[in-house]
Every structure is written in C-alpha cells, then in structure tokens.
Amino acid sequence: MRKVIVEEFMSLDGVVQAPGGEDEDMTGGFEHGGWHMRYMDEPAQKRALEGIVEAGGFILGRRTYEIFAAYWPNAPKEEQVIAEPLNTKPKYVASRTLSDPLEWQNSTVLQGDVAQAVAALKREDGADLHIIGSTELVQTLLEHRLVDELRLMIDPVMLGGGKRIFRDDGSLRPLRLVDSEVTPTGAVLATYAPAEA
C-alpha cells in the first residue's frame, strides 16, 4: 500500500493560493500571487526537488494540472531536473470537466468518486503518490482521511485571505510532527502525519 503525501507552500495564516506567480490564480480577488518565491532558498529547493523525484506519481486537481501542463512540457533546460519527473511519471487528475485523453503525457482523469478513486490508487503497489497545490482536492482527501503526510513549507508572511487546504468545518484532526527544519529565510519545513497512524 502506498501513501498519499501533500506538498504545499503555505503562509503563516494558512493560505496556499498562487504561491508561484503573480497571475497564477487571482480568483476571489487574490492580489498576492508569487508571495512564496522570496522564501525559496537552497534548503527549500532541495526539499521540493526531493519530493518530486521520490514520487511514484502525482495526483492533481484540474487547475493545478492545467497550470503544470502548460508549463512543464516546455520548461527551459535549467529546469529539466524538475520537468523530467513531472513529465514522465503518472499523473492522476481530479476533474469534473476534463476527459481522457489528456494532452500532457502520462496523465489520466480519475473516474467516478474522487475519494474512492484515490483510495484504490493507494491500495496499488508502488512508490508514494504526491499532491502539489490542488486546494479543493486536498480538502476532500483530508475529509476522507486519505492523506498520510502533509509536507508544508510555512513562510513567515500573512496574506490576510485566500484559498486554504484546511476547511473551517469544526472537525478535530490531530497531527504529529514527523520532521522539521527552519530555513535561512525563516520558513519552516514541517512534515506532519495523522496522529492516529
């Protein structure tokens, strides 16, 4: 059985929206796109790359899939260390609007109920599956207790609003700290797992 591992860049107030680019996701009037990049120092880059390289595949929401599919197949030479595993490894896409065949190589749409589809993927043999971004998908999988690890880079910035992976639903979900490191920029690289596990 393989794990589902969530990889997120997060502000101190829990926002994960549009960390990488100014116009990445401006829904809801979000004005702080690209907020994360100033904290992407060497330890953070190393951890992000390790996550991509070790993954057996990726589970992506539709919006993240579309952003990645538009960029990574044509990434510049200096980014091939990230592009190569993203392009060649299996990608499973949660979407109500996309259908197979998807243009980005090794990508397929998850069929039926997303929680059931991900539970079936977890039961397969192979390396762990990683989720990058994909806010709504992460919320759904947390709700169904399908996330085995949260690998968060918590940046020392508050954004005052935006999309979050943790729903305001009153549910108690205890976690245990598996690993942590503080980067030179003051960001915290923290890995959490469900406390019940």
Side-chain angles (χ1 to χ4, degrees):
M1 189 162 178
R2 51 192 179 171
K3 293 180 181 178
V4 168
I5 297 171
V6 172
E7 306 254 5
E8 294 285 351
F9 302 130
M10 180 180 289
S11 69
L12 194 57
D13 55 347
V15 176
V16 297
Q17 184 172 354
E22 192 173 310
D23 59 353
E24 181 179 337
D25 179 2
M26 300 184 305
T27 57
F30 190 72
E31 298 178 354
H32 305 297
W35 56 269
H36 164 73
M37 298 315 293
R38 74 184 77 170
Y39 304 105
M40 201 62 179
D41 56 16
E42 189 175 326
Q45 291 174 14
K46 180 177 181 279
R47 179 174 158 166
L49 179 59
E50 286 171 354
I52 289 168
V53 170
E54 78 179 27
F58 303 95
I59 307 173
L60 304 172
R62 180 196 51 84
R63 182 184 300 272
T64 302
Y65 167 81
E66 288 176 342
I67 291 168
F68 282 16
Y71 184 80
W72 291 111
N74 304 303
K77 185 177 181 179
E78 62 272 12
E79 293 183 338
Q80 286 305 304
V81 67
I82 297 171
E84 192 274 333
L86 284 172
N87 288 328
T88 59
K89 293 182 181 190
K91 291 162 287 288
Y92 307 96
V93 183
S95 175
R96 294 180 204 91
T97 56
L98 298 176
S99 58
D100 289 324
L102 295 174
E103 288 186 29
W104 193 14
Q105 70 185 66
N106 300 316
S107 299
T108 56
V109 176
L110 291 171
Q111 300 300 313
D113 177 79
V114 69
Q116 291 177 4
V118 170
L121 287 172
K122 285 183 66 163
R123 288 190 295 269
E124 294 177 359
D125 291 330
D128 296 334
L129 299 167
H130 289 230
I131 302 173
I132 302 169
S134 309
T135 310
E136 290 180 36
L137 173 62
V138 172
Q139 290 174 346
T140 298
L141 299 183
L142 284 168
E143 182 181 310
H144 286 88
R145 299 183 185 273
L146 291 168
V147 173
D148 299 288
E149 263 184 29
L150 291 160
R151 295 183 184 172
L152 307 175
M153 179 173 176
I154 306 164
D155 295 338
V157 62
M158 293 186 291
L159 301 173
K163 295 179 183 176
R164 293 169 165 82
I165 58 169
F166 303 121
R167 285 189 174 136
D168 189 12
D169 61 5
S171 295
L172 180 67
R173 295 182 179 95
L175 302 171
R176 62 183 170 84
L177 183 65
V178 175
D179 186 41
S180 66
E181 174 186 353
V182 178
T183 73
T185 64
V188 178
L189 306 177
T191 301
Y192 294 95
E196 304 87 14

